[in-house]
Amino acid sequence: NAGVTQTPKFQVLKTGQSMTLQCAQDMNHEYMSWYRQDPGMGLRLIHYSVGAGITDQGEVPNGYNVSRSTTEDFPLRLLSAAPSQTSVYFCASSWDRRNTEAFFGQGTRLTVV
Amino acid sequence: AQSVTQPDIHITVSEGASLELRCNYSYGATPYLFWYVQSPGQGLQLLLKYFSGDTLVQGIKGFEAEFKRSQSSFNLRKPSVHWSDAAEYFCAVGPNAGNNRKLIWGLGTSLAVNP
């Protein structure tokens, strides 16, 4: 099993550009989530999904969209990148909705200039 | 309000010394409790978790943690630290009921290990 795979690992965007961060898991996990990690602010939940076709907002959803058309994939879309979105993004998955153990991808380091 | 506090932002220990990382939480009921480790440039990996039962839980890499309900604490310990333990450590809590199981994270403790 590959676990949770995130692509790309690094990305530089110009302000106003859009892009999609990819996340795929091969563990048949129901629960998937996106976090951003910023110095001094820990992990903040952006969006999450409890199953295919079901998504919901976390604590910092503005500027981001998600969809969950399959169990395996949970892409994160930046609609119009802003410098404030410079961060490290992590995708995580758990085998059930109780989120009893989260498996993390290796992260995407995004810089918006 | 629900919160997780890791009082120590940064800790330095010598290799072979014992380690204790503190975690305190504020929560309405007994939550699920977790410790994760993040090595430089990597994602987070689960060290151990507490759901119920024995309040002393064992994890991977020789770590253990003790849940103390009266103190709302879940401190992480290791009797002898190795240089490879240098990393960022995160405590997290989550609800033990309901379908919305979002985790609340501490801000992390950065561990440095002197040779």
Side-chain angles (χ1 to χ4, degrees):
Chain A
N1 286 351
V4 179
T5 302
Q6 288 184 239
T7 55
K9 286 187 171 25
F10 301 94
Q11 183 70 49
V12 179
L13 287 180
K14 294 182 179 178
T15 297
Q17 286 184 316
S18 62
M19 80 160 293
T20 299
L21 307 185
Q22 301 292 344
C23 175
Q25 52 91 7
D26 61 359
M27 299 173 282
N28 202 32
H29 284 175
E30 281 193 74
Y31 191 103
M32 297 186 74
S33 51
W34 276 102
Y35 292 91
R36 59 178 290 174
Q37 184 179 38
D38 303 289
M41 305 194 74
L43 285 167
R44 291 184 291 169
L45 182 65
I46 304 171
H47 286 284
Y48 66 99
S49 168
V50 298
I54 307 170
T55 63
D56 206 347
Q57 296 180 350
E59 57 182 304
V60 288
N62 292 343
Y64 308 94
N65 273 357
V66 292
S67 60
R68 185 96 179 269
S69 56
T70 67
T71 300
E72 294 77 20
D73 300 299
F74 190 45
L76 177 72
R77 297 183 188 85
L78 279 70
L79 309 173
S80 177
S84 61
Q85 294 178 304
T86 294
S87 186
V88 181
Y89 292 84
F90 287 99
C91 178
S93 73
S94 304
W95 71 274
D96 70 351
R97 296 185 180 198
R98 294 177 300 167
N99 202 17
T100 47
E101 177 177 351
F103 290 82
F104 282 80
Q106 298 217 331
T108 295
R109 183 174 293 276
L110 175 68
T111 302
V112 182
V113 297
Chain B
Q2 300 168 344
S3 65
V4 176
T5 301
Q6 294 180 244
D8 304 304
I9 296 173
H10 187 85
I11 285 181
T12 300
V13 299
S14 298
E15 192 168 17
S18 63
L19 172 70
E20 182 170 32
L21 302 182
R22 295 181 291 163
C23 173
N24 296 98
Y25 65 90
S26 173
Y27 212 80
T30 300
Y32 289 161
L33 298 153
F34 306 85
W35 274 100
Y36 283 82
V37 61
Q38 183 181 28
S39 297
Q42 302 295 313
L44 282 75
Q45 180 185 20
L46 181 69
L47 279 176
L48 47 77
K49 58 190 177 187
Y50 172 79
F51 290 164
S52 64
D54 192 347
T55 56
L56 183 64
V57 295
Q58 303 296 320
I60 62 172
K61 306 186 181 189
F63 285 92
E64 65 178 27
E66 185 172 12
F67 169 56
K68 293 186 177 180
R69 185 190 307 273
S70 61
Q71 298 177 18
S72 297
S73 69
F74 189 55
N75 294 347
L76 181 72
R77 300 194 295 248
K78 187 169 185 179
S80 178
V81 170
H82 189 262
W83 64 266
S84 61
D85 294 323
E88 189 93 14
Y89 291 81
F90 292 92
C91 180
V93 303
N96 61 12
N99 281 328
N100 182 1
R101 303 298 184 99
K102 290 184 285 187
L103 299 179
I104 301 170
W105 295 85
L107 296 185
T109 297
S110 176
L111 174 66
V113 180
N114 287 332

